[in-house]
Structures are given as C-alpha cells and as structure tokens.
Amino acid sequence: MIKILFPTDYSATADNAFVYAMQICKNYSGELFVLHSYSSKSNVPKISENAELGDPSDLFKEEINRMLQLAIENDFGQVPLKFFMEEGELVQSILDLVSKEAIKLIVMGTTGNSGFENKILGSKTAGVIKNVDIPVLSIPHMCKFEEIDAVGFTTVYDEEDALVLRKMIPYIQAANADIYCFHVNKGKEVKTHEEIIRWKEQFKHDPVFFVEKKQDNIVKGIFDFIDQHSIDMLSCVTRNKSLFQRVFESSIAEKLSYHKRIPLLTFHENMFK
C-alpha cells in the first residue's frame, strides 16, 4: 500500500488537491496522511465565516469532520485517512512525517497568485519541492482529476532521468498511458548523438516516446509541447545546482505548477544518492 502525504491549509485550493489525492489512493490502493502545520506566532485560519479563532485542536477536529464529509460526498469513503496537526514550520513537519511514516509521495495544492488562498500552500510548495527528497505532485487550483493518457517528462538524457523513468513506467503502464520524453535543444548539447541514441535504446520496449525541439525559450518550448501532445501530467527531475536552479529561479517551474490544468510531478535529485 502506497503512503501519500497531503498537507492542507483548509483552503478551496487545498480541498481541490485533497479530492485529487483521494482519487490517486483509490486507484492505487493507497493510504492518505493529512497534515496541517501551523505556527504559534500566527493566527489559525477560520474554517467558516461564522467560526471564531480559538484552540487549534478544536478547529482541527471540526476540519477533520468536514474533510471526512468531503470524502464521502466524492465517493471516497473507503480511502484510509489519517490526520495530523503539527505546530511548526511546514517543511520540517513534512520531513518529520515522511521519515516516521515512510511516505512515498506528497500531493499539494498550488495557486498562482498572492491572494487569500496563498497563505501556506501557494508560497510553500516551492520550499517542499526543493527540500524534501521524495516525489511531489503539485495540483493547480483549477485542475480536476482525469484519467491520464499522456505523461510528459522533461529530460537531459542523464542517469537520474533514466532511473525516474524506470520507476514511473509500471504506474504509467497500469494506467494504460504513454510517456513522452521531451528535450529542449538550445544548441549546446552536453551529450553526443551516440550517447543520446544509447540512452533512448534502453526504453525501446516500453511505452516511451521521444520529442525534441530546438528552442531558445524553454518556457515556450515546454508549453508548446504540452499543447501539441495533449499532456495530462508533466514530470521532471529537480537539479539544485544546475538545471533545476536555472529553471526554478527563472520561475519556469512555478509557472508550470500554476498551469490551470496540468499537475506537475517533481523528483528530487537527492533521492538517488
């Protein structure tokens, strides 16, 4: 049984991701760990317009009941749920729970603005992706779960990418979907043509297809790829000191996370060390 962690701030964005996470658990016989992390120095968010700020534990109990009802309303009453409330910084709370419970995947809601629903998840998703070395699936506010037919995977043809693909393939096959490996060629290839051919050869018997585009603008290249191949989910490996740093600091990863319909699955490079 796969264990999935879902951090929540009780917002509509989080509720949307909660439903998505329950669908994954239902499809893969998973168990969902729901985490609310709060700071004693900040106010606990209201659960409803009529709710008064008070003891966090009382609000947490009320929220558990609401989320259990949300699960039933969406026909996920059979999904195993465990609820945790932790005082402290979100990333550290996640790291502690991941270690204690052997969590394999984190599902988080993301927003693309600094509005009232961006108090925790919108601003903290980036921190989780960069500091927690297990896969993180970020769900944009407008994204609804649909059957996955095509998964996009951005690659630079290295060994880490190959390891990720090997881990992904069984799940993608179970969903009767295909993986489209996408590479942006900016005219400065690190790998030789022969190395790239050898890299691709190891997946010749798998549902993996390769798409390459010569493009100076990485953002435009990726979004064109998503549209042209009807990608339902985008995935990539983070690289703290190289590609991921350039991509993330230029807000590309953030923009992809906030795409209105495409969830982003990120694999941390340290998970292979």
Side-chain angles (χ1 to χ4, degrees), residues 72-120:
I72 293 172
E73 291 173 357
N74 286 274
D75 196 28
F76 296 125
Q78 76 279 28
V79 172
L81 299 172
K82 290 185 178 180
F83 294 87
F84 299 83
M85 182 179 71
E86 301 290 342
E87 181 179 352
E89 200 273 328
L90 177 63
V91 170
Q92 187 58 54
S93 296
I94 289 175
L95 287 169
D96 292 343
L97 198 55
V98 165
S99 176
K100 179 181 178 180
E101 299 291 345
I103 302 295
K104 299 301 182 184
L105 173 69
I106 297 171
V107 178
M108 298 184 70
T110 79
T111 56
N113 54 63
S114 57
F116 72 97
E117 287 184 347
N118 204 25
K119 299 297 184 183
I120 296 177

Side-chain angles (χ1 to χ4, degrees), residues 25-239:
C25 286
K26 181 178 180 179
N27 287 4
Y28 294 101
S29 300
E31 182 178 16
L32 191 61
F33 292 71
V34 180
L35 169 67
H36 174 63
S37 176
Y38 71 97
S39 171
S40 59
K41 297 180 181 179
S42 61
N43 290 332
V44 178
K46 292 183 180 181
I47 293 175
S48 67
E49 289 298 324
N50 298 320
E52 297 295 331
L53 294 176
D55 188 336
S57 62
D58 292 336
L59 296 177
F60 185 62
K61 291 175 184 177
E62 183 178 338
E63 183 62 21
I64 288 176
N65 292 330
R66 188 187 69 83
M67 296 182 77
L68 289 173
Q69 183 60 38
L70 185 61
I72 293 172
E73 291 173 357
N74 286 274
D75 196 28
F76 296 125
Q78 76 279 28
V79 172
L81 299 172
K82 290 185 178 180
F83 294 87
F84 299 83
M85 182 179 71
E86 301 290 342
E87 181 179 352
E89 200 273 328
L90 177 63
V91 170
Q92 187 58 54
S93 296
I94 289 175
L95 287 169
D96 292 343
L97 198 55
V98 165
S99 176
K100 179 181 178 180
E101 299 291 345
I103 302 295
K104 299 301 182 184
L105 173 69
I106 297 171
V107 178
M108 298 184 70
T110 79
T111 56
N113 54 63
S114 57
F116 72 97
E117 287 184 347
N118 204 25
K119 299 297 184 183
I120 296 177
L121 295 184
S123 61
K124 294 297 180 67
T125 303
V128 174
I129 290 173
K130 293 178 70 174
N131 292 288
V132 182
D133 59 2
I134 66 171
V136 177
L137 179 62
S138 55
I139 310 298
H141 177 62
M142 299 301 293
C143 177
K144 303 299 180 184
F145 185 90
E146 296 180 357
E147 294 301 325
I148 302 298
D149 294 318
V151 176
F153 179 68
T154 60
T155 183
V156 293
Y157 303 125
D158 65 7
E159 184 58 29
E160 290 174 353
D161 289 353
L163 289 171
V164 167
L165 273 179
R166 280 281 154 237
K167 291 178 180 292
M168 289 174 57
I169 285 171
Y171 296 99
I172 302 305
Q173 285 180 318
N176 294 317
D178 296 320
I179 301 175
Y180 289 83
C181 288
F182 178 63
H183 175 74
V184 176
N185 181 353
K186 298 184 68 176
K188 298 179 181 179
E189 290 294 333
V190 175
K191 303 289 185 181
T192 67
H193 180 68
E194 290 73 19
E195 288 175 324
I196 293 174
I197 290 177
R198 285 196 297 271
W199 192 93
K200 294 178 179 180
E201 185 71 11
Q202 62 188 303
F203 302 105
K204 64 180 180 180
H205 299 301
D206 300 305
V208 178
F209 302 90
F210 298 95
V211 180
E212 297 183 359
K213 186 177 183 65
K214 204 161 188 178
Q215 175 69 258
D216 290 330
N217 188 322
I218 298 178
V219 176
K220 185 177 187 307
I222 292 177
F223 276 100
D224 287 347
F225 162 69
I226 289 173
D227 292 336
Q228 291 170 8
H229 296 275
S230 301
I231 298 299
D232 302 304
M233 178 184 292
L234 190 69
S235 56
C236 63
V237 177
T238 66
R239 292 171 175 84

